[in-house]
PDB file of all heavy atoms in Angstrom:
ATOM      1  N   GLU A  66      14.436   6.618  26.409  1.00  0.00           N
ATOM      2  CA  GLU A  66      15.434   7.188  27.297  1.00  0.00           C
ATOM      3  C   GLU A  66      16.142   8.403  26.700  1.00  0.00           C
ATOM      4  O   GLU A  66      16.492   9.387  27.295  1.00  0.00           O
ATOM      5  CB  GLU A  66      16.483   6.093  27.691  1.00  0.00           C
ATOM      6  CG  GLU A  66      17.629   6.528  28.591  1.00  0.00           C
ATOM      7  CD  GLU A  66      17.149   6.996  29.927  1.00  0.00           C
ATOM      8  OE1 GLU A  66      15.989   6.696  30.378  1.00  0.00           O
ATOM      9  OE2 GLU A  66      17.911   7.751  30.600  1.00  0.00           O
ATOM     10  N   LEU A  67      16.327   8.270  25.351  1.00  0.00           N
ATOM     11  CA  LEU A  67      16.942   9.351  24.655  1.00  0.00           C
ATOM     12  C   LEU A  67      16.072  10.595  24.644  1.00  0.00           C
ATOM     13  O   LEU A  67      16.436  11.756  24.841  1.00  0.00           O
ATOM     14  CB  LEU A  67      17.379   9.034  23.288  1.00  0.00           C
ATOM     15  CG  LEU A  67      18.554   8.039  23.049  1.00  0.00           C
ATOM     16  CD1 LEU A  67      18.834   7.661  21.530  1.00  0.00           C
ATOM     17  CD2 LEU A  67      19.818   8.582  23.613  1.00  0.00           C
ATOM     18  N   ARG A  68      14.741  10.382  24.511  1.00  0.00           N
ATOM     19  CA  ARG A  68      13.877  11.458  24.492  1.00  0.00           C
ATOM     20  C   ARG A  68      13.706  12.172  25.932  1.00  0.00           C
ATOM     21  O   ARG A  68      13.644  13.322  26.078  1.00  0.00           O
ATOM     22  CB  ARG A  68      12.423  10.975  24.049  1.00  0.00           C
ATOM     23  CG  ARG A  68      12.347  10.714  22.581  1.00  0.00           C
ATOM     24  CD  ARG A  68      10.917  10.477  22.161  1.00  0.00           C
ATOM     25  NE  ARG A  68      10.319   9.407  22.755  1.00  0.00           N
ATOM     26  CZ  ARG A  68      10.331   8.224  22.261  1.00  0.00           C
ATOM     27  NH1 ARG A  68      10.979   7.944  21.190  1.00  0.00           N
ATOM     28  NH2 ARG A  68       9.723   7.196  22.907  1.00  0.00           N
ATOM     29  N   ARG A  69      13.837  11.278  26.915  1.00  0.00           N
ATOM     30  CA  ARG A  69      13.953  11.753  28.336  1.00  0.00           C
ATOM     31  C   ARG A  69      15.076  12.709  28.586  1.00  0.00           C
ATOM     32  O   ARG A  69      14.964  13.712  29.248  1.00  0.00           O
ATOM     33  CB  ARG A  69      13.855  10.689  29.250  1.00  0.00           C
ATOM     34  CG  ARG A  69      13.657  11.028  30.690  1.00  0.00           C
ATOM     35  CD  ARG A  69      13.770   9.871  31.658  1.00  0.00           C
ATOM     36  NE  ARG A  69      15.214   9.332  31.640  1.00  0.00           N
ATOM     37  CZ  ARG A  69      16.145  10.046  32.319  1.00  0.00           C
ATOM     38  NH1 ARG A  69      15.958  11.112  33.061  1.00  0.00           N
ATOM     39  NH2 ARG A  69      17.380   9.523  32.351  1.00  0.00           N
ATOM     40  N   LYS A  70      16.296  12.268  28.078  1.00  0.00           N
ATOM     41  CA  LYS A  70      17.577  12.984  28.378  1.00  0.00           C
ATOM     42  C   LYS A  70      17.598  14.202  27.471  1.00  0.00           C
ATOM     43  O   LYS A  70      18.178  15.286  27.969  1.00  0.00           O
ATOM     44  CB  LYS A  70      18.638  12.032  28.081  1.00  0.00           C
ATOM     45  CG  LYS A  70      18.794  10.949  29.128  1.00  0.00           C
ATOM     46  CD  LYS A  70      19.935   9.941  28.768  1.00  0.00           C
ATOM     47  CE  LYS A  70      21.264  10.608  28.682  1.00  0.00           C
ATOM     48  NZ  LYS A  70      22.419   9.717  28.425  1.00  0.00           N
ATOM     49  N   HIS A  71      17.243  14.096  26.184  1.00  0.00           N
ATOM     50  CA  HIS A  71      17.598  15.237  25.252  1.00  0.00           C
ATOM     51  C   HIS A  71      16.209  15.820  24.637  1.00  0.00           C
ATOM     52  O   HIS A  71      16.310  16.487  23.696  1.00  0.00           O
ATOM     53  CB  HIS A  71      18.358  14.719  24.173  1.00  0.00           C
ATOM     54  CG  HIS A  71      19.581  14.006  24.537  1.00  0.00           C
ATOM     55  ND1 HIS A  71      20.644  14.515  25.280  1.00  0.00           N
ATOM     56  CD2 HIS A  71      19.908  12.751  24.423  1.00  0.00           C
ATOM     57  CE1 HIS A  71      21.614  13.700  25.569  1.00  0.00           C
ATOM     58  NE2 HIS A  71      21.294  12.523  25.025  1.00  0.00           N
ATOM     59  N   GLY A  72      15.093  15.612  25.288  1.00  0.00           N
ATOM     60  CA  GLY A  72      13.886  16.073  24.773  1.00  0.00           C
ATOM     61  C   GLY A  72      13.825  17.638  24.636  1.00  0.00           C
ATOM     62  O   GLY A  72      13.172  18.101  23.711  1.00  0.00           O
ATOM     63  N   LYS A  73      14.647  18.368  25.397  1.00  0.00           N
ATOM     64  CA  LYS A  73      14.703  19.808  25.244  1.00  0.00           C
ATOM     65  C   LYS A  73      15.622  20.283  24.293  1.00  0.00           C
ATOM     66  O   LYS A  73      15.710  21.564  24.051  1.00  0.00           O
ATOM     67  CB  LYS A  73      14.891  20.422  26.630  1.00  0.00           C
ATOM     68  CG  LYS A  73      13.810  20.174  27.656  1.00  0.00           C
ATOM     69  CD  LYS A  73      14.009  20.814  28.989  1.00  0.00           C
ATOM     70  CE  LYS A  73      12.917  20.498  29.942  1.00  0.00           C
ATOM     71  NZ  LYS A  73      13.171  21.163  31.391  1.00  0.00           N
ATOM     72  N   ASP A  74      16.457  19.426  23.698  1.00  0.00           N
ATOM     73  CA  ASP A  74      17.458  19.808  22.662  1.00  0.00           C
ATOM     74  C   ASP A  74      17.252  18.952  21.497  1.00  0.00           C
ATOM     75  O   ASP A  74      17.799  17.939  21.332  1.00  0.00           O
ATOM     76  CB  ASP A  74      18.820  19.526  23.345  1.00  0.00           C
ATOM     77  CG  ASP A  74      20.003  20.094  22.461  1.00  0.00           C
ATOM     78  OD1 ASP A  74      19.738  20.418  21.176  1.00  0.00           O
ATOM     79  OD2 ASP A  74      21.139  20.215  22.853  1.00  0.00           O
ATOM     80  N   PRO A  75      16.433  19.370  20.515  1.00  0.00           N
ATOM     81  CA  PRO A  75      16.078  18.660  19.319  1.00  0.00           C
ATOM     82  C   PRO A  75      17.268  18.221  18.542  1.00  0.00           C
ATOM     83  O   PRO A  75      17.363  17.028  18.020  1.00  0.00           O
ATOM     84  CB  PRO A  75      15.179  19.559  18.594  1.00  0.00           C
ATOM     85  CG  PRO A  75      14.511  20.478  19.596  1.00  0.00           C
ATOM     86  CD  PRO A  75      15.692  20.727  20.481  1.00  0.00           C
ATOM     87  N   GLU A  76      18.257  19.111  18.381  1.00  0.00           N
ATOM     88  CA  GLU A  76      19.424  18.741  17.632  1.00  0.00           C
ATOM     89  C   GLU A  76      20.236  17.673  18.260  1.00  0.00           C
ATOM     90  O   GLU A  76      20.735  16.686  17.573  1.00  0.00           O
ATOM     91  CB  GLU A  76      20.334  19.987  17.397  1.00  0.00           C
ATOM     92  CG  GLU A  76      19.643  21.003  16.510  1.00  0.00           C
ATOM     93  CD  GLU A  76      20.608  22.218  16.241  1.00  0.00           C
ATOM     94  OE1 GLU A  76      21.891  22.173  16.623  1.00  0.00           O
ATOM     95  OE2 GLU A  76      20.161  23.135  15.556  1.00  0.00           O
ATOM     96  N   ARG A  77      20.398  17.796  19.606  1.00  0.00           N
ATOM     97  CA  ARG A  77      21.085  16.681  20.328  1.00  0.00           C
ATOM     98  C   ARG A  77      20.420  15.448  20.282  1.00  0.00           C
ATOM     99  O   ARG A  77      20.948  14.335  20.068  1.00  0.00           O
ATOM    100  CB  ARG A  77      21.367  17.098  21.769  1.00  0.00           C
ATOM    101  CG  ARG A  77      22.059  16.115  22.568  1.00  0.00           C
ATOM    102  CD  ARG A  77      23.584  15.975  22.177  1.00  0.00           C
ATOM    103  NE  ARG A  77      24.314  14.924  22.792  1.00  0.00           N
ATOM    104  CZ  ARG A  77      24.473  13.754  22.323  1.00  0.00           C
ATOM    105  NH1 ARG A  77      23.797  13.351  21.259  1.00  0.00           N
ATOM    106  NH2 ARG A  77      25.065  12.837  23.061  1.00  0.00           N
ATOM    107  N   LEU A  78      19.050  15.496  20.343  1.00  0.00           N
ATOM    108  CA  LEU A  78      18.255  14.197  20.269  1.00  0.00           C
ATOM    109  C   LEU A  78      18.440  13.587  18.893  1.00  0.00           C
ATOM    110  O   LEU A  78      18.556  12.339  18.840  1.00  0.00           O
ATOM    111  CB  LEU A  78      16.756  14.573  20.542  1.00  0.00           C
ATOM    112  CG  LEU A  78      15.776  13.443  20.392  1.00  0.00           C
ATOM    113  CD1 LEU A  78      16.071  12.347  21.351  1.00  0.00           C
ATOM    114  CD2 LEU A  78      14.351  13.975  20.695  1.00  0.00           C
ATOM    115  N   GLN A  79      18.321  14.365  17.866  1.00  0.00           N
ATOM    116  CA  GLN A  79      18.485  13.886  16.552  1.00  0.00           C
ATOM    117  C   GLN A  79      19.828  13.114  16.327  1.00  0.00           C
ATOM    118  O   GLN A  79      19.922  12.112  15.713  1.00  0.00           O
ATOM    119  CB  GLN A  79      18.302  15.033  15.546  1.00  0.00           C
ATOM    120  CG  GLN A  79      18.338  14.526  14.064  1.00  0.00           C
ATOM    121  CD  GLN A  79      18.120  15.618  13.076  1.00  0.00           C
ATOM    122  OE1 GLN A  79      18.104  16.752  13.444  1.00  0.00           O
ATOM    123  NE2 GLN A  79      17.948  15.288  11.842  1.00  0.00           N
ATOM    124  N   ARG A  80      20.899  13.767  16.814  1.00  0.00           N
ATOM    125  CA  ARG A  80      22.191  13.123  16.694  1.00  0.00           C
ATOM    126  C   ARG A  80      22.292  11.852  17.513  1.00  0.00           C
ATOM    127  O   ARG A  80      22.824  10.843  17.031  1.00  0.00           O
ATOM    128  CB  ARG A  80      23.256  14.176  17.157  1.00  0.00           C
ATOM    129  CG  ARG A  80      23.565  15.224  16.278  1.00  0.00           C
ATOM    130  CD  ARG A  80      24.890  16.023  16.585  1.00  0.00           C
ATOM    131  NE  ARG A  80      24.849  16.447  17.923  1.00  0.00           N
ATOM    132  CZ  ARG A  80      24.519  17.669  18.403  1.00  0.00           C
ATOM    133  NH1 ARG A  80      23.989  18.526  17.470  1.00  0.00           N
ATOM    134  NH2 ARG A  80      24.567  18.045  19.532  1.00  0.00           N
ATOM    135  N   ALA A  81      21.700  11.855  18.681  1.00  0.00           N
ATOM    136  CA  ALA A  81      21.712  10.689  19.487  1.00  0.00           C
ATOM    137  C   ALA A  81      20.914   9.490  18.876  1.00  0.00           C
ATOM    138  O   ALA A  81      21.356   8.323  18.923  1.00  0.00           O
ATOM    139  CB  ALA A  81      21.131  10.977  20.866  1.00  0.00           C
ATOM    140  N   VAL A  82      19.830   9.765  18.315  1.00  0.00           N
ATOM    141  CA  VAL A  82      18.970   8.843  17.579  1.00  0.00           C
ATOM    142  C   VAL A  82      19.696   8.196  16.394  1.00  0.00           C
ATOM    143  O   VAL A  82      19.814   7.025  16.110  1.00  0.00           O
ATOM    144  CB  VAL A  82      17.636   9.434  17.194  1.00  0.00           C
ATOM    145  CG1 VAL A  82      16.865   8.381  16.321  1.00  0.00           C
ATOM    146  CG2 VAL A  82      16.711   9.708  18.437  1.00  0.00           C
ATOM    147  N   LEU A  83      20.375   9.182  15.686  1.00  0.00           N
ATOM    148  CA  LEU A  83      21.161   8.711  14.549  1.00  0.00           C
ATOM    149  C   LEU A  83      22.254   7.699  14.950  1.00  0.00           C
ATOM    150  O   LEU A  83      22.547   6.697  14.312  1.00  0.00           O
ATOM    151  CB  LEU A  83      21.611   9.923  13.711  1.00  0.00           C
ATOM    152  CG  LEU A  83      22.537   9.572  12.508  1.00  0.00           C
ATOM    153  CD1 LEU A  83      21.689   8.740  11.517  1.00  0.00           C
ATOM    154  CD2 LEU A  83      23.059  10.819  11.804  1.00  0.00           C
ATOM    155  N   GLU A  84      22.962   8.146  16.038  1.00  0.00           N
ATOM    156  CA  GLU A  84      24.061   7.338  16.576  1.00  0.00           C
ATOM    157  C   GLU A  84      23.464   5.907  16.960  1.00  0.00           C
ATOM    158  O   GLU A  84      24.255   4.927  16.709  1.00  0.00           O
ATOM    159  CB  GLU A  84      24.825   8.021  17.728  1.00  0.00           C
ATOM    160  CG  GLU A  84      25.524   9.246  17.376  1.00  0.00           C
ATOM    161  CD  GLU A  84      25.984  10.067  18.527  1.00  0.00           C
ATOM    162  OE1 GLU A  84      25.661   9.595  19.660  1.00  0.00           O
ATOM    163  OE2 GLU A  84      26.542  11.077  18.336  1.00  0.00           O
ATOM    164  N   LEU A  85      22.354   5.962  17.627  1.00  0.00           N
ATOM    165  CA  LEU A  85      21.835   4.609  18.111  1.00  0.00           C
ATOM    166  C   LEU A  85      21.419   3.695  16.888  1.00  0.00           C
ATOM    167  O   LEU A  85      21.808   2.577  16.893  1.00  0.00           O
ATOM    168  CB  LEU A  85      20.561   4.964  18.866  1.00  0.00           C
ATOM    169  CG  LEU A  85      19.766   3.710  19.317  1.00  0.00           C
ATOM    170  CD1 LEU A  85      20.509   2.816  20.201  1.00  0.00           C
ATOM    171  CD2 LEU A  85      18.416   4.103  19.976  1.00  0.00           C
ATOM    172  N   HIS A  86      20.756   4.300  15.803  1.00  0.00           N
ATOM    173  CA  HIS A  86      20.560   3.530  14.713  1.00  0.00           C
ATOM    174  C   HIS A  86      21.778   3.038  14.004  1.00  0.00           C
ATOM    175  O   HIS A  86      21.760   1.915  13.536  1.00  0.00           O
ATOM    176  CB  HIS A  86      19.714   4.339  13.665  1.00  0.00           C
ATOM    177  CG  HIS A  86      18.236   4.507  14.175  1.00  0.00           C
ATOM    178  ND1 HIS A  86      17.505   5.597  13.688  1.00  0.00           N
ATOM    179  CD2 HIS A  86      17.484   3.824  15.019  1.00  0.00           C
ATOM    180  CE1 HIS A  86      16.276   5.558  14.251  1.00  0.00           C
ATOM    181  NE2 HIS A  86      16.267   4.522  15.004  1.00  0.00           N
ATOM    182  N   THR A  87      22.816   3.891  13.903  1.00  0.00           N
ATOM    183  CA  THR A  87      24.063   3.443  13.225  1.00  0.00           C
ATOM    184  C   THR A  87      24.808   2.312  14.124  1.00  0.00           C
ATOM    185  O   THR A  87      25.269   1.392  13.499  1.00  0.00           O
ATOM    186  CB  THR A  87      24.931   4.652  13.095  1.00  0.00           C
ATOM    187  OG1 THR A  87      24.408   5.705  12.334  1.00  0.00           O
ATOM    188  CG2 THR A  87      26.227   4.228  12.411  1.00  0.00           C
ATOM    189  N   ARG A  88      24.751   2.506  15.334  1.00  0.00           N
ATOM    190  CA  ARG A  88      25.355   1.490  16.233  1.00  0.00           C
ATOM    191  C   ARG A  88      24.707   0.171  16.098  1.00  0.00           C
ATOM    192  O   ARG A  88      25.338  -0.910  16.104  1.00  0.00           O
ATOM    193  CB  ARG A  88      25.424   1.993  17.697  1.00  0.00           C
ATOM    194  CG  ARG A  88      26.231   1.136  18.656  1.00  0.00           C
ATOM    195  CD  ARG A  88      26.375   1.745  19.985  1.00  0.00           C
ATOM    196  NE  ARG A  88      25.197   2.054  20.649  1.00  0.00           N
ATOM    197  CZ  ARG A  88      24.624   3.218  20.815  1.00  0.00           C
ATOM    198  NH1 ARG A  88      25.180   4.296  20.349  1.00  0.00           N
ATOM    199  NH2 ARG A  88      23.442   3.402  21.504  1.00  0.00           N
ATOM    200  N   GLU A  89      23.389   0.232  16.087  1.00  0.00           N
ATOM    201  CA  GLU A  89      22.518  -1.086  16.066  1.00  0.00           C
ATOM    202  C   GLU A  89      22.283  -1.593  14.686  1.00  0.00           C
ATOM    203  O   GLU A  89      21.639  -2.603  14.518  1.00  0.00           O
ATOM    204  CB  GLU A  89      21.194  -0.796  16.804  1.00  0.00           C
ATOM    205  CG  GLU A  89      21.392  -0.426  18.325  1.00  0.00           C
ATOM    206  CD  GLU A  89      21.879  -1.543  19.090  1.00  0.00           C
ATOM    207  OE1 GLU A  89      21.680  -2.820  18.669  1.00  0.00           O
ATOM    208  OE2 GLU A  89      22.448  -1.373  20.113  1.00  0.00           O
ATOM    209  N   LYS A  90      22.832  -0.769  13.594  1.00  0.00           N
ATOM    210  CA  LYS A  90      22.595  -1.184  12.269  1.00  0.00           C
ATOM    211  C   LYS A  90      21.073  -1.292  11.925  1.00  0.00           C
ATOM    212  O   LYS A  90      20.684  -2.229  11.300  1.00  0.00           O
ATOM    213  CB  LYS A  90      23.347  -2.418  11.934  1.00  0.00           C
ATOM    214  CG  LYS A  90      24.917  -2.322  12.088  1.00  0.00           C
ATOM    215  CD  LYS A  90      25.593  -3.590  11.696  1.00  0.00           C
ATOM    216  CE  LYS A  90      27.113  -3.475  11.947  1.00  0.00           C
ATOM    217  NZ  LYS A  90      27.861  -4.737  11.628  1.00  0.00           N
ATOM    218  N   VAL A  91      20.361  -0.185  12.280  1.00  0.00           N
ATOM    219  CA  VAL A  91      18.883  -0.257  12.039  1.00  0.00           C
ATOM    220  C   VAL A  91      18.586   0.951  11.155  1.00  0.00           C
ATOM    221  O   VAL A  91      19.022   2.109  11.506  1.00  0.00           O
ATOM    222  CB  VAL A  91      18.120  -0.201  13.363  1.00  0.00           C
ATOM    223  CG1 VAL A  91      16.686  -0.030  13.115  1.00  0.00           C
ATOM    224  CG2 VAL A  91      18.384  -1.454  14.174  1.00  0.00           C
ATOM    225  N   SER A  92      17.875   0.783   9.980  1.00  0.00           N
ATOM    226  CA  SER A  92      17.532   1.927   9.187  1.00  0.00           C
ATOM    227  C   SER A  92      16.189   2.416   9.674  1.00  0.00           C
ATOM    228  O   SER A  92      15.211   1.742   9.756  1.00  0.00           O
ATOM    229  CB  SER A  92      17.434   1.439   7.737  1.00  0.00           C
ATOM    230  OG  SER A  92      16.845   2.482   6.957  1.00  0.00           O
ATOM    231  N   PRO A  93      16.038   3.798   9.955  1.00  0.00           N
ATOM    232  CA  PRO A  93      14.877   4.351  10.195  1.00  0.00           C
ATOM    233  C   PRO A  93      13.778   4.356   9.136  1.00  0.00           C
ATOM    234  O   PRO A  93      12.623   4.611   9.310  1.00  0.00           O
ATOM    235  CB  PRO A  93      15.151   5.795  10.602  1.00  0.00           C
ATOM    236  CG  PRO A  93      16.431   6.146   9.805  1.00  0.00           C
ATOM    237  CD  PRO A  93      17.166   4.772   9.858  1.00  0.00           C
ATOM    238  N   LEU A  94      14.297   4.065   7.846  1.00  0.00           N
ATOM    239  CA  LEU A  94      13.339   4.062   6.728  1.00  0.00           C
ATOM    240  C   LEU A  94      13.053   2.660   6.264  1.00  0.00           C
ATOM    241  O   LEU A  94      12.834   2.438   5.130  1.00  0.00           O
ATOM    242  CB  LEU A  94      13.933   4.829   5.632  1.00  0.00           C
ATOM    243  CG  LEU A  94      14.407   6.292   5.883  1.00  0.00           C
ATOM    244  CD1 LEU A  94      15.086   6.960   4.737  1.00  0.00           C
ATOM    245  CD2 LEU A  94      13.066   7.115   6.218  1.00  0.00           C
ATOM    246  N   ALA A  95      13.178   1.663   7.122  1.00  0.00           N
ATOM    247  CA  ALA A  95      13.104   0.225   6.834  1.00  0.00           C
ATOM    248  C   ALA A  95      11.794  -0.146   6.157  1.00  0.00           C
ATOM    249  O   ALA A  95      11.817  -0.955   5.150  1.00  0.00           O
ATOM    250  CB  ALA A  95      13.329  -0.661   8.105  1.00  0.00           C
ATOM    251  N   GLY A  96      10.719   0.554   6.485  1.00  0.00           N
ATOM    252  CA  GLY A  96       9.413   0.146   5.881  1.00  0.00           C
ATOM    253  C   GLY A  96       9.026   0.828   4.685  1.00  0.00           C
ATOM    254  O   GLY A  96       7.968   0.573   4.095  1.00  0.00           O
ATOM    255  N   CYS A  97       9.873   1.833   4.238  1.00  0.00           N
ATOM    256  CA  CYS A  97       9.429   2.664   3.167  1.00  0.00           C
ATOM    257  C   CYS A  97       9.688   2.079   1.736  1.00  0.00           C
ATOM    258  O   CYS A  97       8.929   2.436   0.813  1.00  0.00           O
ATOM    259  CB  CYS A  97      10.055   4.023   3.201  1.00  0.00           C
ATOM    260  SG  CYS A  97       9.721   4.963   4.781  1.00  0.00           S
ATOM    261  N   LEU A  98      10.773   1.359   1.582  1.00  0.00           N
ATOM    262  CA  LEU A  98      11.184   0.915   0.251  1.00  0.00           C
ATOM    263  C   LEU A  98      10.150   0.078  -0.461  1.00  0.00           C
ATOM    264  O   LEU A  98       9.960   0.342  -1.790  1.00  0.00           O
ATOM    265  CB  LEU A  98      12.579   0.119   0.376  1.00  0.00           C
ATOM    266  CG  LEU A  98      13.260  -0.151  -0.988  1.00  0.00           C
ATOM    267  CD1 LEU A  98      13.471   1.204  -1.684  1.00  0.00           C
ATOM    268  CD2 LEU A  98      14.588  -0.790  -0.738  1.00  0.00           C
TER     269      LEU A  98
END
Side-chain angles (χ1 to χ4, degrees):
E66 178 62 19
L67 290 177
R68 287 193 296 272
R69 188 189 66 78
K70 291 175 60 176
H71 308 298
K73 296 181 180 180
D74 187 349
E76 293 185 4
R77 181 69 185 91
L78 175 61
Q79 185 178 8
R80 290 197 300 270
V82 169
L83 181 60
E84 291 171 1
L85 174 64
H86 285 158
T87 302
R88 184 171 64 252
E89 298 292 337
K90 298 180 180 180
V91 174
S92 170
L94 302 177
C97 298
L98 191 57

